[in-house]
């Protein structure tokens, strides 16, 4: 940019990214600025980063769609069968138009094919109730109302931020019970993002901020910097070091200053800070920085008594950065002293930074300054030129020391991770941090155990062989693949992590650079092969650590896993803006209400205050939601099937004339009033296993993994059950009606009585079937189940008790009351209800527990369930019903097998 | 204070409902409940089944097909096309006396009273005695809403039109002495049908209500107001035979109540004089008469008793199986 002023040489200034005012920026140190809008509309970062928050659909919804297709086929085939049979049947003489049922002239004139078509459509209308339209309403209600339980859960309330969980979408409740992969951010998610200056090391001497003296590793201990009893670096070095900490940062103080900061304070990874920075002396404590590490460092320096006060004459170049970037720039003989400390600190889980300095003479400074200015002004390759200048200046520096900042783990991070792994969930840590730090966090979180064999695929391992990276990558991938996939014992279906110590656990580490090599390999074919190898390795590892990730790479990884074989359900959890892309990408995105702003929370599906809440969210809420909605879906299909099957069968007995079996009121009310409330209550309140047990036994989560309750097996079971019940209802009443004189006064029953008896059996059976499945009877369940049945009775009396003026036909007039006056009708109703439910009861009693954990389940569920509950009503003798029923009988089967 | 209040406002309610901790009853289907339950249900079912079975067995039924398809059947002559006012006599004898009230049914087979078109072919407003619908019957009655002269038919519709019109007279033949057995036609239809659902127009004499430009159903020989000449209260829409017919049967093979014989049928020879009017051969139908007495469970129906017995024994059987399984796997271990 050229600046023209009156009668002056045009000044040239550089414009760089630092001159961009980003959205939401506020003017601080100046009254006004002039600006030009550069990126507008769709070119803005916001628009470019907008991933088009695609509709997230849960696996349950996909299952519903598949089932719906099956039922559509059933519907169409039923209509087709009836239409075909109708015309076959009518071909027999005397059947088409008996004298007592003459057709109107119009009917006689209608084209045969048109008649066939209208017949087909009529059958479709007659059987359309098989498609559970009301299920969608109920599912939506269940999801909406059910999600309140997450918001209401007081365990999710965090007294620190005074907030509980937040539900942004209620569509994915059940998906929480299906998670197979958890992608977690490290900083702020696994760790608190609450940096604390722990120790520093100056010239190889270790200083630790402590109140009490203590020996440490034979190295020097500082009880505050003032104490100089023992071996120490020289005071000069100490001062230099602390001065570096004071100066070399981007920390801004909260109070507005009018000083014109001439030289841009560089970013974390930048190095140059001139010491001649005018900085007003500060008394306050408000520090703002782009990186929380720096705040911690400055605060740490302040504790040592160093605050920035004034200017000095010498020009010093201070440089602060990760060990990998500092070590090459300093004299090698200094490195060894520090390296040991840095590495020890890194393995302890601290974030380390190294500090180096260099004296600059006046010319050198001027030269560097000019070089920089020139580089900034260049229009092409500005970055490269800048880096060259920096590199020129930052050579031959002398290392003063290193700092260690602790980023503490979140509360119960390790317990949560352990529970997730116990639940068969694979945890991937995706972080921008460096490998050592991330690795130590993983160890601290128990994601990597002591016996876990780590497979590293990083730039460092790639460079080991001294060969081309590509080749080395290929070689390593094959080697790891052999180790982790081929040599691994075949994993039993559904169980991905074994508990026995015999099998080796693998952990996988990859860094961003290598990942991009894997994903964007030069040739197309090797790329997909690498990707496959990489995925297979990762899937056989218990945990995977991806470090040095760009935000977009995080999303890439999530996408890759999401689209891999078996399309596993993924969950991303993060707290910062850099996690947004992966939160949006994963099936379920969870935001942590952390310190890095609200971005993640706003883009997430669920937001929780702390990582530890994830355990309850998945293991308890997710599990229950899944079981509830799965049962709801199956039950809805079932109840509509056995509702409409008798109507279908009736067509065979009424000359395929589309005569409905049930009265119109019953047809409409069945799904709306008579059978909807109990299932809704069930789907909101059911706890087949109580929460405490679910939380204590994370393995229970595996029982519902892979959409276990909505696969074709259970669907077939429910469908067959529906068919069985439908057949039973219809033919049971049909044999009763072989003699329609069912009353003791010899009078006979007609077709509406027939339908009403079937319908009564139906309503009672489906309601009682649900009652049988209910394991958790709250007063609400009692109320709606018995209330529904009572309402049915009441409605039937009422509906049949009055001549309704708006009805053309009084079809049900006193039909219900007459039915109840017949002993035979009572007996057949009781008989059919019991006969429908008895096999169910037998099945429950005889069912063997499934899965390898059944025994463990028994042992863990039973003793603990009786102890764990504070509530007297709760838990004791509780059964996980649908999943693995351990009744005394089936328990014996189990014993026998062993 | 302010802070605390804010915290309280944000903190979720700690109620049993919101925390999903409502006190709940957790029933468990254990062997200890299921086995005795099955035994009890089984025994109860067997008891009911035995009672049903015995009762059903004690019900006497006499059934005669009088369609006249076979050459030797008494009504064979009546099946010809041009036979009018044909009367045939069905002779039978009773060896065991029918005790109690004997119910006299007629039965039709392969007759679809449950055709959809047929079943809606009536006008309930008409049948409720609303005279305005006499002039304009419901379209559902078509093609029996107006006759060829465009006169409204009352009662309109296929159901009324196809009313069963065979009549029966039962004679007790004692040597040369022929006694007419009194048949009671009262109370064969539902009480509510007779008293509430169906009504004649409140015009006396009834004839006047119909005479205003209405015609009788095409297949009827007599108009509705002359269905029973002996009893004026049994005419029009509340004629008991009409009501019985209008309550459509559920299945194509059905029986309907025709008359009651209150004093039962003693041993002897009987002759049933049938005036054969109702054609069924065109659609391969069958006609029959049934004499039966009823019990508390209604007419004879073996299905219910057998079903109860079978289910009851199955329950007992299953409970024995469960007991064996239970004993086998439980008791050795407890030692």
């Amino acid at each position: 940019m050229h600046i023209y002023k009156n009668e002056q040489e045009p000044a040239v200034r550089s414009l760089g990214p630092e001159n961009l005012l980003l959205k939401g920026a506020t003017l601080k140190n100046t009254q006004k600025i002039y600006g030009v809008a550069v990126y507008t509309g769709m070119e803005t970062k916001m628009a470019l980063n907008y991933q088009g928050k695609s509709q997230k659909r849960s696996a349950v919804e996909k299952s519903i769609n598949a089932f719906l297709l099956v039922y559509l086929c059933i519907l169409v085939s039923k209509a087709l069968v009836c239409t075909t049979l109708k015309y076959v049947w009518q071909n027999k003489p005397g059947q088409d138009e008996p004298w007592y049922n003459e057709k109107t002239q119009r009917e006689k004139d209608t084209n045969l094919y048109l008649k066939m078509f209208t017949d087909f459509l009529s059958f479709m209308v007659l059987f359309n109730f098989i498609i559970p339209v009301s299920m969608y309403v109920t599912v939506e209600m269940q999801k909406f109302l059910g999600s309140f339980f997450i918001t209401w859960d007081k365990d999710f309330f965090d007294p620190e931020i005074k907030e509980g969980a937040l539900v942004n979408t209620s569509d994915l409740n059940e998906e929480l019970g299906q998670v197979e992969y958890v992608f977690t951010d490290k900083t702020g998610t696994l760790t608190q993002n609450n940096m604390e200056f722990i120790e520093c090391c100056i010239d190889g001497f270790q200083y630790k901020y402590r109140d009490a003296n203590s020996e440490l590793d034979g190295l020097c201990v500082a009880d505050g910097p003032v104490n100089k009893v023992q071996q120490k670096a020289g005071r000069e070095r100490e001062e230099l070091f602390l001065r570096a900490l004071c100066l070399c940062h981007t920390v801004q103080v909260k109070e507005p200053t009018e000083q014109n900061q001439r030289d841009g304070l560089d970013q974390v990874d930048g190095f140059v800070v001139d010491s001649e920075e005018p900085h007003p002396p500060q008394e306050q404590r408000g520090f703002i920085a782009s990186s929380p590490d720096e705040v911690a460092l400055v605060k740490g320096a302040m504790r040592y008594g160093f605050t920035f006060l004034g200017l000095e004459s010498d020009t010093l170049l201070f440089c602060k950065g990760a060990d990998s970037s500092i070590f090459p720039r300093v004299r090698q003989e200094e490195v060894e002293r520090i390296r040991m400390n840095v590495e020890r600190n890194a393995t302890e889980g601290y974030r380390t930074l190294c500090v180096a300095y260099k004296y600059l003479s006046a010319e050198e400074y001027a030269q560097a300054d000019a070089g920089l200015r020139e580089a900034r002004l260049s229009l092409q390759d500005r970055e490269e030129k800048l880096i060259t200048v920096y590199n020129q200046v930052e050579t031959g520096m002398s290392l003063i020391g290193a700092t260690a900042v602790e980023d503490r783990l979140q509360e119960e991070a390790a317990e949560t991770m352990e529970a997730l792994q116990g639940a068969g969930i694979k945890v991937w840590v995706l972080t921008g941090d460096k490998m050592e730090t991330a690795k130590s966090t993983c160890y601290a979180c128990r994601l990597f155990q002591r016996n876990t064999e780590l497979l590293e695929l990083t730039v460092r391992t790639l460079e080991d062989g001294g060969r081309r990276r590509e080749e080395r990558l290929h070689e390593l991938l094959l080697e790891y693949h052999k180790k982790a996939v081929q040599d691994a014992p075949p994993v039993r279906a559904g169980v991905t992590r074994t508990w026995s110590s015999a099998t080796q656990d693998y952990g996988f580490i990859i860094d961003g650079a290598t990942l991009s090599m894997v994903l964007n390999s030069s040739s197309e074919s090797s790329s997909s092969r690498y990707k496959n190898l990489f995925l297979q390795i990762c899937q056989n590892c218990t945990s995977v650590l991806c470090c040095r990730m760009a935000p977009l790479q995080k999303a890439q990884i999530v996408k890759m896993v999401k689209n891999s074989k078996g399309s596993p359900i993924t969950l991303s959890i993060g707290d910062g803006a850099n996690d947004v892309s992966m939160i949006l990408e994963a099936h379920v995105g969870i935001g942590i209400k952390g310190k890095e702003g609200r971005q993640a929370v706003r883009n997430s599906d669920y937001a929780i205050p702390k990582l530890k809440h994830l355990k309850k969210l998945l293991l308890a809420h997710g599990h229950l939601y899944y079981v509830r909605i799965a049962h709801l879906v199956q039950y809805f299909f079932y109840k509509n099937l056995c509702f409409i099957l008798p109507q279908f069968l009736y067509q065979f007995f009424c000359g395929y004339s589309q005569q409905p079996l049930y009265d119109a009121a019953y047809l409409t009310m069945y799904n709306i009033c008579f059978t909807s409330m109990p299932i809704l209550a069930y789907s909101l309140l059911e706890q087949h296993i109580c929460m405490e047990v679910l939380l204590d036994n994370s393995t229970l989560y595996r029982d519902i993994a892979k959409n276990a309750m909505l696969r074709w097996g259970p669907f077939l079971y429910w469908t067959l059950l529906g068919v069985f019940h439908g057949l039973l209802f219809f033919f049971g009443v049909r044999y009763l009606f072989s003699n329609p004189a069912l009353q003791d006064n010899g009078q006979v029953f007609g077709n509406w009585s027939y339908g009403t008896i079937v319908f009564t059996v139906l309503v009672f059976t489906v309601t009682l079937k649900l009652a049988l499945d209910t394991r958790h009877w709250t007063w609400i369940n009692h109320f709606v189940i018995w209330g529904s049945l009572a309402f049915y009775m009441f409605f039937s009396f009422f509906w049949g008790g009055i001549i309704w003026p708006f009805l053309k036909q009084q079809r049900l007039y006193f039909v219900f009351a007459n039915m109840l006056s017949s002993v035979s009708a009572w007996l057949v109703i009781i008989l059919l209800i019991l006969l429908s439910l008895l096999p169910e009861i037998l099945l429950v009693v005889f069912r063997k527990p499934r899965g390898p954990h059944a025994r463990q389940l028994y042992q863990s569920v039973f003793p603990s369930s009786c102890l764990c509950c504070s509530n007297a009503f709760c838990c004791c003798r509780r059964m996980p019903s649908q999943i693995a029923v351990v009744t005394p009988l089936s328990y014996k089967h189990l014993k026998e097998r062993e | 204070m302010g802070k605390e209040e804010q915290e309280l406002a944000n903190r979720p309610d700690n109620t049993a409902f919101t925390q999903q901790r409502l006190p709940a009853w957790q029933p468990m289907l254990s062997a200890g409940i299921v086995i005795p339950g099955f035994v009890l249900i089984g025994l109860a079912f067997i008891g009911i089944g035995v009672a049903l079975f015995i009762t059903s067995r004690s019900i006497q039924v006499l059934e005669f097909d009088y369609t006249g398809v076979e050459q030797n059947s008494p009504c064979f002559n009546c099946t010809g096309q041009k036979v009018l006012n044909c009367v045939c006599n069905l002779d039978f004898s009773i060896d065991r006396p029918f005790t109690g009230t004997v119910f006299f049914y007629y039965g039709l087979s392969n007759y679809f009273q449950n055709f959809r078109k047929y079943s809606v072919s009536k006008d309930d407003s008409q049948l409720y005695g609303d005279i305005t619908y006499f002039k304009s019957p419901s379209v559902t009655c078509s093609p029996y809403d107006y006759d060829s002269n465009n006169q409204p038919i009352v009662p309109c519709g296929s159901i009324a039109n196809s009313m069963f019109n065979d009549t029966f007279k039962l004679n007790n033949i004692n040597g040369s002495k022929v006694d007419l057995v009194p048949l009671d036609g009262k109370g064969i239809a539902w009480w509510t049908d007779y008293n509430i659902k169906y009504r004649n127009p409140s015009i006396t004499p009834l004839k006047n209500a119909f005479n205003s430009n209405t015609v009788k159903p095409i297949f009827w020989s007599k108009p509705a107001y002359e269905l029973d000449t002996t009893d004026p209260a049994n005419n029009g829409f509340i004629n008991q035979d009409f009501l019985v017919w209008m309550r459509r049967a559920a299945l194509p093979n059905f029986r309907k109540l025709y008359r009651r014989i209150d004093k039962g049928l003693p041993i002897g020879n009987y002759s049933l004089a049938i005036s054969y009017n109702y054609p069924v051969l065109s659609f391969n139908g069958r006609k029959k008469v049934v004499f039966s007495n009823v019990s508390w469970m209604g007419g004879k129906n073996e299905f219910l008793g057998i079903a109860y017995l079978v289910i009851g024994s199955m329950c007992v059987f299953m409970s024995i199986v469960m007991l064996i399984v239970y004993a086998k796997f439980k008791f050795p271990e407890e030692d």
Side-chain angles (χ1 to χ4, degrees), chain A residues 740 748, chain B residues 104-108 113 243-249 254-259:
Chain A
V748 294
Chain B
F104 178 5
Y105 299 92
Y106 62 87
L108 291 169
Q113 262 206 318
L243 293 176
V244 167
W245 183 254
M246 293 302 283
R247 185 149 291 280
R248 294 171 308 102
F254 60 87
R255 62 174 72 164
K256 283 179 183 290
L257 187 54
Y258 182 68
R259 291 291 182 268

Side-chain angles (χ1 to χ4, degrees), chain A residues 742-745 821-824 827, chain B residues 48 50-56 58-59 294-299 304:
Chain A
L742 293 174
Q743 283 182 289
D744 55 1
N745 57 8
S821 71
S822 158
V823 181
S824 289
L827 288 176
Chain B
I48 296 172
V50 167
L52 280 170
F53 195 70
I54 292 173
T55 317
S56 182
S58 71
I59 295 172
V294 299
S295 66
W296 52 271
M297 60 172 281
L304 215 50

Side-chain angles (χ1 to χ4, degrees), chain A residues 403-597:
Chain A
T403 59
V405 172
E406 189 191 18
D407 190 0
R408 252 184 278 150
L409 283 187
Q410 290 272 8
E411 296 165 55
E412 294 170 38
E415 287 82 353
T416 308
M417 289 301 133
E418 214 163 39
L420 292 186
Q421 289 198 326
I425 300 171
K426 291 187 178 163
V427 182
W428 291 37
V429 179
L430 310 182
T431 175
D433 269 350
K434 55 195 272 240
M435 191 185 107
E436 287 75 15
T437 324
K439 203 156 94 184
S440 55
T441 311
C442 284
Y443 274 113
C445 293
R446 282 175 241 167
L447 283 173
F448 293 156
Q449 311 276 353
R450 194 149 293 169
N451 57 354
T452 308
E453 190 180 337
L454 295 182
L455 311 175
E456 286 185 25
L457 198 66
T458 56
V459 178
R460 192 185 301 166
T461 54
L462 287 187
E463 282 169 345
D464 268 357
R467 296 172 34 203
R468 277 187 57 232
R469 281 188 176 189
E470 288 262 325
E471 284 167 31
R472 179 78 183 138
L473 172 72
H474 189 191
E475 200 181 288
L476 274 176
L477 273 175
L478 284 180
E479 183 193 321
Y480 291 157
H481 186 260
K482 189 161 176 296
K483 218 186 240 178
V485 183
Q486 288 161 2
D487 292 352
V491 204
R492 270 174 296 173
V495 190
T496 37
R497 187 185 151 115
T498 43
W499 288 92
S500 54
S501 55
T503 52
Q504 175 70 46
D505 280 344
Y506 290 104
F508 193 77
I509 302 177
I510 190 167
D511 63 4
T514 321
L515 184 77
S516 65
M517 273 174 71
V518 170
L519 295 182
N520 317 315
S521 183
S522 48
S523 64
E524 196 56 40
S525 62
S526 63
S527 165
S528 64
R529 206 178 71 231
Y530 287 166
K531 218 164 146 177
N532 270 337
L533 284 174
F534 171 63
L535 260 179
Q536 281 178 18
I537 298 168
C538 289
Q539 280 164 355
N540 278 24
C541 292
T542 44
S543 2
V544 175
L545 165 64
C546 305
C547 41
R548 286 273 175 240
M549 288 279 145
L552 211 70
Q553 274 181 320
K554 292 185 179 181
Q556 250 179 333
I557 287 204
V558 174
K559 193 173 190 173
M560 187 177 71
V561 173
K562 198 169 92 174
N563 296 332
S564 68
K565 204 174 129 242
S567 44
I569 308 297
T570 54
L571 177 145
S572 291
I573 179 164
D575 70 326
N578 59 344
D579 305 316
V580 168
S581 59
M582 91 176 171
I583 284 175
L584 287 177
E585 184 64 47
H587 291 98
V588 188
I590 300 209
I592 297 227
K593 297 178 168 179
K595 296 189 170 158
E596 292 191 26

